Amino acid sequence: MFYISRERETDNACFVLDGRIIVRRNGEDNEIIKTSEVRLLGKHNLENVCAAVMAARLAGVSTEAIREVLKSFTGLEHRLEFVGEAAGVRYYNDSLATIPEAAIEAIEALEIRWRH
């Protein structure tokens, strides 16, 4: 069994630790990428990244190939999609956030971005 987490580390898992995405298998850590290099917004997307990374690693994809995808992937259309900037205001399309939980995650993702 393999695990994913954005909050705690464990064996046979992909998790977030000290600003890095780590895969740990059989007690050996492999840093995949720094979270600051991931283009997707929001902590919830770090869980998605961990799930994708774990699946890719189990399928035999190299760390470098995973890293390159994560550095360039900006997400899906209508999901926290950056659409432009005018007068210093950044605009995002999140029209697929049709349930409260999705809207809350999006708002929290943008609040984190605003603080930096």
Side-chain angles (χ1 to χ4, degrees), residues 20 35 59 82:
R20 301 171 296 144
T35 57
F82 176 70

Side-chain angles (χ1 to χ4, degrees), residues 10-41:
T10 188
D11 201 22
N12 293 321
C14 182
F15 51 87
V16 179
L17 178 66
D18 298 328
R20 301 171 296 144
I21 304 289
I22 305 287
V23 171
R24 180 179 293 159
R25 292 185 67 189
N26 303 317
E28 185 176 322
D29 287 0
N30 179 254
E31 180 179 326
I32 304 298
I33 193 169
K34 290 176 180 32
T35 57
S36 62
E37 296 177 287
V38 174
R39 307 245 346 243
L40 297 172
L41 297 176

Side-chain angles (χ1 to χ4, degrees), residues 44-56:
H44 68 290
N45 272 322
L46 292 179
E47 287 179 355
N48 296 334
V49 166
C50 286
V53 166
M54 195 78 217

Side-chain angles (χ1 to χ4, degrees), residues 58-79:
L58 292 171
V61 178
S62 72
T63 299
E64 188 56 40
I66 294 169
R67 186 177 295 127
E68 288 307 309
V69 168
L70 293 176
K71 283 182 176 182
S72 63
F73 183 67
T74 58
L76 300 176
E77 195 173 44
H78 308 292
R79 295 189 177 173

